Amino acid sequence: MSGLKPKPSQGLLRRRWQHPVGDYAVAVGWQANGRRLFVGDAAGLLSAFDAADGRLEWYAEAHAGGLIDLAPWPGGARLASAGQDGRARLW
C-alpha cells in the first residue's frame, strides 16, 4: 500500500450549463435515460431541463408552500412530487 500514488486530477467535473429556478432548489432527479433533469424548488415550482443543453422543457407550479421531494419513475414515463401543501402528485 505504501507504493500507491494518487493519480493527477482528470477534471471529470465540469460545469455544462446552469439555469435559474423560482427559488432555491430543494430536490433534483434524473430521468432514467439521463435525458432530463428534474428540479423542485422551495417556492413549489417543478421544472424539467434538457440534460444536454439546459433548455427548459416544461415547468409547473406544483405545490403551494414549496416542494419537499421528487422521484422520477424508473421507466421514465412519470414523476412523483410531494409538497408542503400536504399533497403527493403524479405527473
Side-chain angles (χ1 to χ4, degrees):
M1 290 287 223
S2 63
L4 295 177
K5 296 179 183 176
K7 289 185 177 182
S9 173
Q10 297 179 2
L12 296 177
L13 292 176
R14 291 181 219 130
R15 182 184 299 182
R16 303 234 186 240
W17 54 264
Q18 61 185 17
H19 198 288
V21 293
D23 203 337
Y24 60 91
V26 295
V28 297
W30 288 101
Q31 188 175 23
N33 61 14
R35 292 185 183 158
R36 280 190 191 92
L37 178 66
F38 301 106
V39 179
D41 70 27
L45 190 68
L46 181 60
S47 305
F49 298 96
D50 182 288
D53 61 14
R55 179 177 44 87
L56 178 64
E57 293 189 346
W58 61 264
Y59 68 94
E61 293 180 11
H63 296 278
L67 190 133
I68 298 172
D69 202 5
L70 61 85
W73 191 275
R78 300 207 185 273
L79 174 70
S81 65
Q84 299 251 4
D85 56 4
R87 297 180 186 272
R89 293 194 167 172
L90 190 60
W91 303 86

